[in-house]
Amino acid sequence: MSFREKSAWVALVAIVLVSAMYVFHVPRVFAPNPWAMTALVVSLVAFIVIEVVAWLVLRFRHPQDAHTPKDELERLIELKALRLAMYVYVAGSFLSTFVTVHHVRGSAQMLGACLLVAFIVAGIVNYTARIVYYRRHA
Amino acid sequence: MTKVSIANHIRRLRFEHREMTQQELAAKIGVSRQTVNAIETGKYWPSLEVAFRIAEVFGRRVDEVFDYSREGRR
């Protein structure tokens, strides 16, 4: 398994873990909640910390790979995965707007929560697609 | 429908060059070992630049390293 694939795994696990933590602390994601913003900031910080620590561990274990710039296949995989994630995020954004406008209790907070969900799903799709493409080319 | 196929002789050429490892070839052409493996097994067709670099490492022409073939009707 290459260094970049391991990095994608780390990011995927981190995003799933942090999202699960967020949903655990803010169970009704779409309803108004005074702790939503605090939980969001804490989740974001937790994600960054997990990513940085895991990246440092990976870099320590694979010092040569970590310093090697991305080659053309790795860049292609990243672009393909990002394109898929973009489709998901754009579809999620349109769906969020539609749901908020047509929902009886639609609010700015609900729109924000919907966009956050779309962003997280897009992130999961991004890293999952990278792993799938890396496996396909392995 | 035309089906394009690009085969290569990298495995044989590595063997002929004192059993060069994929890692050594990767270091010489500036890509990862996984990318060399993907090229060698035909899962990925490299750019012209990388194809020329591979040929240069083995001291061959590009068409001696890669075989291009087309099958079927246009």
Side-chain angles (χ1 to χ4, degrees):
Chain A
M1 197 187 286
S2 71
F3 172 75
R4 314 268 178 226
E5 191 182 341
K6 282 179 186 167
S7 303
W9 269 110
V10 165
L12 180 64
V13 169
I15 205 167
V16 169
L17 203 69
V18 169
S19 305
M21 267 169 51
Y22 179 81
V23 172
F24 181 74
H25 287 99
V26 187
R28 296 174 67 204
V29 178
F30 298 107
N33 187 323
W35 297 105
M37 189 51 79
T38 313
L40 182 64
V41 172
V42 170
S43 302
L44 202 63
V45 171
F47 177 74
I48 292 168
V49 169
I50 292 172
E51 272 275 276
V52 169
V53 170
W55 189 79
L56 286 173
V57 170
L58 278 180
R59 194 183 151 165
F60 181 73
R61 291 183 66 171
H62 309 272
Q64 201 180 345
D65 292 345
H67 290 293
T68 310
K70 287 172 194 159
D71 64 29
E72 58 181 40
L73 179 58
E74 289 164 342
R75 281 199 299 269
L76 181 70
I77 286 172
E78 259 187 35
L79 285 173
K80 283 164 84 174
L82 208 57
R83 184 181 62 177
L84 267 181
M86 266 294 292
Y87 289 147
V88 171
Y89 186 67
V90 169
S93 303
F94 278 113
L95 198 65
S96 303
T97 314
F98 181 82
V99 167
T100 309
V101 168
H102 288 86
H103 198 273
V104 182
R105 275 173 268 157
S107 63
Q109 185 149 10
M110 187 179 182
L111 178 63
C114 287
L115 288 173
L116 180 68
V117 170
F119 187 73
I120 290 168
V121 173
I124 291 170
V125 166
N126 181 15
Y127 293 114
T128 306
R130 281 185 201 203
I131 291 164
V132 169
Y133 287 132
Y134 277 123
R135 286 288 88 210
R136 210 177 271 177
H137 287 104
Chain B
M1 188 78 173
T2 308
K3 194 180 172 191
V4 173
S5 158
I6 301 176
N8 68 74
H9 306 288
I10 297 173
R11 176 79 189 88
R12 179 174 57 78
L13 289 166
R14 280 199 302 113
F15 186 76
E16 287 172 4
H17 282 72
R18 291 185 292 170
E19 298 190 26
M20 183 190 290
T21 62
Q22 287 184 340
Q23 187 66 59
E24 285 166 350
L25 178 60
K28 283 177 196 248
I29 61 174
V31 299
S32 66
R33 188 199 63 77
Q34 286 77 15
T35 300
V36 167
N37 183 56
I39 294 169
E40 197 174 294
T41 52
K43 289 174 183 169
Y44 172 66
W45 298 341
S47 67
L48 263 180
E49 189 190 350
V50 170
F52 273 107
R53 274 194 243 149
I54 293 170
E56 193 180 25
V57 166
F58 295 126
R60 302 290 181 110
R61 294 195 314 269
V62 173
D63 65 329
E64 289 176 322
V65 180
F66 295 94
D67 284 333
Y68 172 77
S69 65
R70 275 193 312 187
E71 293 163 13
R73 278 189 292 175
R74 261 197 242 184

